Short mmCIF file of all heavy atoms in Angstrom, two decimals:
data_model
loop_
_atom_site.label_atom_id
_atom_site.label_comp_id
_atom_site.label_asym_id
_atom_site.label_seq_id
_atom_site.Cartn_x
_atom_site.Cartn_y
_atom_site.Cartn_z
N ALA A 1283 131.54 87.28 132.46
CA ALA A 1283 131.43 88.30 133.52
C ALA A 1283 131.23 87.63 134.86
O ALA A 1283 130.71 86.51 134.95
CB ALA A 1283 130.26 89.25 133.24
N LYS A 1284 131.67 88.36 135.89
CA LYS A 1284 131.44 87.96 137.28
C LYS A 1284 130.58 89.07 137.90
O LYS A 1284 131.07 89.91 138.66
CB LYS A 1284 132.76 87.84 138.03
CG LYS A 1284 133.81 86.99 137.33
CD LYS A 1284 133.42 85.54 137.27
CE LYS A 1284 133.34 84.94 138.64
NZ LYS A 1284 133.01 83.48 138.57
N PRO A 1285 129.27 89.10 137.57
CA PRO A 1285 128.45 90.27 137.90
C PRO A 1285 127.77 90.22 139.26
O PRO A 1285 126.94 91.09 139.56
CB PRO A 1285 127.40 90.24 136.79
CG PRO A 1285 127.19 88.77 136.54
CD PRO A 1285 128.55 88.12 136.75
N GLU A 1286 128.10 89.23 140.10
CA GLU A 1286 127.36 89.09 141.36
C GLU A 1286 127.44 90.33 142.24
O GLU A 1286 126.49 90.66 142.95
CB GLU A 1286 127.90 87.87 142.14
CG GLU A 1286 127.58 86.53 141.51
CD GLU A 1286 128.63 86.06 140.51
OE1 GLU A 1286 129.49 86.89 140.10
OE2 GLU A 1286 128.60 84.89 140.14
N ILE A 1287 128.58 91.05 142.16
CA ILE A 1287 128.72 92.24 143.00
C ILE A 1287 127.66 93.28 142.66
O ILE A 1287 127.26 94.09 143.50
CB ILE A 1287 130.14 92.83 142.88
CG1 ILE A 1287 130.38 93.83 144.02
CG2 ILE A 1287 130.38 93.45 141.50
CD1 ILE A 1287 131.82 94.18 144.24
N ARG A 1288 127.15 93.27 141.44
CA ARG A 1288 126.10 94.21 141.05
C ARG A 1288 124.76 93.88 141.69
O ARG A 1288 123.84 94.71 141.66
CB ARG A 1288 125.98 94.23 139.53
CG ARG A 1288 127.27 94.68 138.85
CD ARG A 1288 127.12 94.88 137.37
NE ARG A 1288 128.36 95.35 136.78
CZ ARG A 1288 128.48 95.85 135.56
NH1 ARG A 1288 127.41 95.95 134.79
NH2 ARG A 1288 129.66 96.25 135.11
N LEU A 1289 124.67 92.68 142.26
CA LEU A 1289 123.48 92.30 143.01
C LEU A 1289 123.68 92.49 144.51
O LEU A 1289 122.79 92.18 145.30
CB LEU A 1289 123.12 90.83 142.74
CG LEU A 1289 122.81 90.46 141.29
CD1 LEU A 1289 122.60 88.96 141.17
CD2 LEU A 1289 121.58 91.22 140.80
N GLY A 1290 124.86 92.97 144.88
CA GLY A 1290 125.15 93.17 146.30
C GLY A 1290 125.57 91.90 147.01
O GLY A 1290 125.28 91.73 148.20
N MET A 1291 126.26 91.00 146.31
CA MET A 1291 126.66 89.73 146.90
C MET A 1291 127.94 89.22 146.24
O MET A 1291 128.31 89.68 145.16
CB MET A 1291 125.55 88.68 146.70
CG MET A 1291 125.21 88.45 145.23
SD MET A 1291 123.89 87.23 145.00
CE MET A 1291 124.87 85.71 145.07
N PRO A 1292 128.64 88.30 146.88
CA PRO A 1292 129.80 87.65 146.25
C PRO A 1292 129.31 86.47 145.41
O PRO A 1292 128.18 86.00 145.56
CB PRO A 1292 130.62 87.15 147.44
CG PRO A 1292 129.58 86.83 148.48
CD PRO A 1292 128.49 87.86 148.29
N PRO A 1293 130.16 85.96 144.53
CA PRO A 1293 129.84 84.70 143.85
C PRO A 1293 129.64 83.59 144.87
O PRO A 1293 130.22 83.62 145.96
CB PRO A 1293 131.06 84.44 142.98
CG PRO A 1293 131.66 85.79 142.75
CD PRO A 1293 131.42 86.53 144.04
N THR A 1294 128.83 82.59 144.49
CA THR A 1294 128.49 81.54 145.45
C THR A 1294 128.69 80.12 144.93
O THR A 1294 128.50 79.16 145.67
CB THR A 1294 127.02 81.67 145.89
OG1 THR A 1294 126.19 81.63 144.72
CG2 THR A 1294 126.78 82.97 146.64
N PHE A 1295 129.05 79.97 143.65
CA PHE A 1295 129.25 78.63 143.10
C PHE A 1295 130.74 78.29 143.01
O PHE A 1295 131.13 77.40 142.28
CB PHE A 1295 128.63 78.49 141.71
CG PHE A 1295 127.12 78.55 141.66
CD1 PHE A 1295 126.36 78.79 142.79
CD2 PHE A 1295 126.46 78.36 140.46
CE1 PHE A 1295 124.97 78.85 142.73
CE2 PHE A 1295 125.08 78.41 140.39
CZ PHE A 1295 124.32 78.66 141.52
N GLY A 1296 131.58 79.02 143.74
CA GLY A 1296 133.01 78.75 143.76
C GLY A 1296 133.85 79.80 143.07
O GLY A 1296 135.07 79.66 142.99
N GLY A 1297 133.25 80.88 142.59
CA GLY A 1297 133.98 81.87 141.82
C GLY A 1297 135.05 82.63 142.59
O GLY A 1297 136.08 83.01 142.02
N THR A 1298 134.83 82.83 143.89
CA THR A 1298 135.86 83.53 144.68
C THR A 1298 137.07 82.64 144.94
O THR A 1298 138.13 83.13 145.34
CB THR A 1298 135.32 84.02 146.03
OG1 THR A 1298 134.90 82.88 146.81
CG2 THR A 1298 134.15 84.97 145.85
N GLN A 1299 136.93 81.34 144.73
CA GLN A 1299 138.01 80.40 145.00
C GLN A 1299 138.71 79.93 143.73
O GLN A 1299 139.93 79.89 143.66
CB GLN A 1299 137.47 79.20 145.78
CG GLN A 1299 136.81 79.56 147.10
CD GLN A 1299 137.71 80.41 147.98
OE1 GLN A 1299 138.83 79.98 148.30
NE2 GLN A 1299 137.27 81.60 148.37
N ARG A 1300 137.93 79.56 142.71
CA ARG A 1300 138.56 78.99 141.51
C ARG A 1300 139.16 80.07 140.61
O ARG A 1300 140.23 79.85 140.03
CB ARG A 1300 137.54 78.17 140.73
CG ARG A 1300 137.11 76.89 141.45
CD ARG A 1300 136.28 75.98 140.58
NE ARG A 1300 135.90 74.77 141.32
CZ ARG A 1300 134.74 74.65 141.99
NH1 ARG A 1300 133.88 75.65 142.00
NH2 ARG A 1300 134.48 73.54 142.66
N LEU A 1301 138.50 81.20 140.46
CA LEU A 1301 139.02 82.22 139.55
C LEU A 1301 140.40 82.72 139.99
O LEU A 1301 141.30 82.82 139.15
CB LEU A 1301 138.03 83.38 139.40
CG LEU A 1301 138.43 84.42 138.34
CD1 LEU A 1301 138.53 83.78 136.96
CD2 LEU A 1301 137.45 85.58 138.33
N PRO A 1302 140.63 83.05 141.26
CA PRO A 1302 141.98 83.46 141.65
C PRO A 1302 143.02 82.37 141.41
O PRO A 1302 144.18 82.67 141.08
CB PRO A 1302 141.84 83.77 143.14
CG PRO A 1302 140.40 84.11 143.33
CD PRO A 1302 139.68 83.22 142.38
N ARG A 1303 142.64 81.12 141.56
CA ARG A 1303 143.59 80.03 141.31
C ARG A 1303 143.92 79.90 139.83
O ARG A 1303 145.02 79.51 139.46
CB ARG A 1303 143.01 78.72 141.85
CG ARG A 1303 143.03 78.63 143.38
CD ARG A 1303 142.17 77.46 143.86
NE ARG A 1303 142.38 77.13 145.27
CZ ARG A 1303 141.84 77.78 146.29
NH1 ARG A 1303 141.04 78.82 146.07
NH2 ARG A 1303 142.08 77.40 147.54
N LEU A 1304 142.95 80.23 138.97
CA LEU A 1304 143.18 80.16 137.53
C LEU A 1304 143.91 81.40 137.00
O LEU A 1304 144.84 81.30 136.22
CB LEU A 1304 141.83 80.04 136.79
CG LEU A 1304 141.12 78.70 136.84
CD1 LEU A 1304 139.70 78.84 136.33
CD2 LEU A 1304 141.87 77.66 136.02
N ALA A 1305 143.45 82.56 137.43
CA ALA A 1305 143.89 83.81 136.81
C ALA A 1305 144.92 84.57 137.61
O ALA A 1305 145.55 85.49 137.08
CB ALA A 1305 142.67 84.71 136.56
N GLY A 1306 145.10 84.22 138.88
CA GLY A 1306 145.95 85.01 139.76
C GLY A 1306 145.09 85.97 140.59
O GLY A 1306 144.04 86.44 140.14
N ARG A 1307 145.54 86.27 141.78
CA ARG A 1307 144.74 87.02 142.76
C ARG A 1307 144.33 88.40 142.25
O ARG A 1307 143.15 88.76 142.29
CB ARG A 1307 145.53 87.15 144.07
CG ARG A 1307 144.83 87.95 145.15
CD ARG A 1307 145.60 87.83 146.47
NE ARG A 1307 145.06 88.68 147.50
CZ ARG A 1307 145.56 89.88 147.82
NH1 ARG A 1307 146.61 90.34 147.15
NH2 ARG A 1307 145.02 90.60 148.79
N LYS A 1308 145.26 89.19 141.75
CA LYS A 1308 144.94 90.57 141.39
C LYS A 1308 144.06 90.64 140.14
O LYS A 1308 143.13 91.46 140.07
CB LYS A 1308 146.23 91.39 141.21
CG LYS A 1308 146.89 91.72 142.54
CD LYS A 1308 148.12 92.55 142.36
CE LYS A 1308 148.62 93.08 143.70
NZ LYS A 1308 148.92 92.02 144.67
N ARG A 1309 144.33 89.81 139.17
CA ARG A 1309 143.49 89.82 137.97
C ARG A 1309 142.08 89.33 138.29
O ARG A 1309 141.10 89.89 137.79
CB ARG A 1309 144.14 88.97 136.87
CG ARG A 1309 145.39 89.62 136.30
CD ARG A 1309 146.00 88.83 135.17
NE ARG A 1309 146.55 87.55 135.62
CZ ARG A 1309 147.22 86.72 134.84
NH1 ARG A 1309 147.39 87.00 133.55
NH2 ARG A 1309 147.72 85.59 135.32
N ALA A 1310 141.98 88.32 139.16
CA ALA A 1310 140.66 87.86 139.56
C ALA A 1310 139.92 88.92 140.36
O ALA A 1310 138.72 89.14 140.17
CB ALA A 1310 140.79 86.58 140.37
N MET A 1311 140.64 89.59 141.25
CA MET A 1311 140.01 90.64 142.07
C MET A 1311 139.38 91.73 141.21
O MET A 1311 138.28 92.21 141.49
CB MET A 1311 141.04 91.25 143.02
CG MET A 1311 141.34 90.41 144.24
SD MET A 1311 139.92 90.31 145.36
CE MET A 1311 140.75 89.63 146.81
N GLU A 1312 140.07 92.12 140.15
CA GLU A 1312 139.52 93.16 139.27
C GLU A 1312 138.19 92.72 138.68
O GLU A 1312 137.22 93.50 138.64
CB GLU A 1312 140.51 93.48 138.16
CG GLU A 1312 140.03 94.55 137.19
CD GLU A 1312 141.02 94.85 136.09
OE1 GLU A 1312 142.14 94.33 136.14
OE2 GLU A 1312 140.65 95.60 135.17
N LEU A 1313 138.11 91.48 138.23
CA LEU A 1313 136.88 90.98 137.63
C LEU A 1313 135.78 90.81 138.67
O LEU A 1313 134.61 91.14 138.43
CB LEU A 1313 137.15 89.65 136.92
CG LEU A 1313 138.18 89.70 135.80
CD1 LEU A 1313 138.47 88.30 135.29
CD2 LEU A 1313 137.70 90.59 134.66
N LEU A 1314 136.14 90.30 139.84
CA LEU A 1314 135.16 90.05 140.89
C LEU A 1314 134.62 91.35 141.48
O LEU A 1314 133.43 91.44 141.82
CB LEU A 1314 135.78 89.19 141.99
CG LEU A 1314 136.11 87.75 141.63
CD1 LEU A 1314 137.06 87.15 142.66
CD2 LEU A 1314 134.86 86.91 141.52
N LEU A 1315 135.48 92.36 141.61
CA LEU A 1315 135.08 93.59 142.30
C LEU A 1315 134.45 94.63 141.38
O LEU A 1315 133.78 95.55 141.85
CB LEU A 1315 136.30 94.21 143.00
CG LEU A 1315 136.86 93.38 144.16
CD1 LEU A 1315 138.14 93.99 144.70
CD2 LEU A 1315 135.83 93.21 145.28
N THR A 1316 134.64 94.50 140.06
CA THR A 1316 134.00 95.43 139.13
C THR A 1316 132.75 94.86 138.49
O THR A 1316 131.84 95.61 138.12
CB THR A 1316 134.96 95.85 138.00
OG1 THR A 1316 135.27 94.70 137.20
CG2 THR A 1316 136.23 96.46 138.56
N GLY A 1317 132.69 93.55 138.33
CA GLY A 1317 131.56 92.94 137.65
C GLY A 1317 131.53 93.19 136.16
O GLY A 1317 130.52 92.91 135.49
N GLU A 1318 132.62 93.70 135.60
CA GLU A 1318 132.64 94.06 134.19
C GLU A 1318 132.76 92.83 133.29
O GLU A 1318 133.36 91.82 133.66
CB GLU A 1318 133.81 95.01 133.92
CG GLU A 1318 133.66 96.36 134.62
CD GLU A 1318 134.91 97.22 134.56
OE1 GLU A 1318 135.96 96.72 134.07
OE2 GLU A 1318 134.86 98.38 135.01
N THR A 1319 132.19 92.95 132.09
CA THR A 1319 132.30 91.86 131.12
C THR A 1319 133.72 91.80 130.56
O THR A 1319 134.44 92.80 130.56
CB THR A 1319 131.31 92.05 129.97
OG1 THR A 1319 131.60 93.27 129.29
CG2 THR A 1319 129.88 92.07 130.47
#
């Protein structure tokens, strides 16, 4: 999970940068913006 948004913040250890590079922008956005497992 990428649950940082549930704390009212973005990821801070590189998740906004590495995940889109691995998974693609739109698929990463869904995980980052929902915080779902």
Side-chain angles (χ1 to χ4, degrees):
K1284 309 293 295 182
E1286 291 89 347
I1287 195 164
R1288 299 188 178 193
L1289 299 175
M1291 59 180 276
T1294 56
F1295 292 4
T1298 62
Q1299 302 307 303
R1300 292 189 180 93
L1301 186 61
R1303 287 167 167 80
L1304 286 168
R1307 178 171 174 262
K1308 286 182 169 57
R1309 289 183 293 185
M1311 281 292 193
E1312 180 180 353
L1313 300 174
L1314 292 164
L1315 294 174
T1316 65
E1318 294 170 354
T1319 61

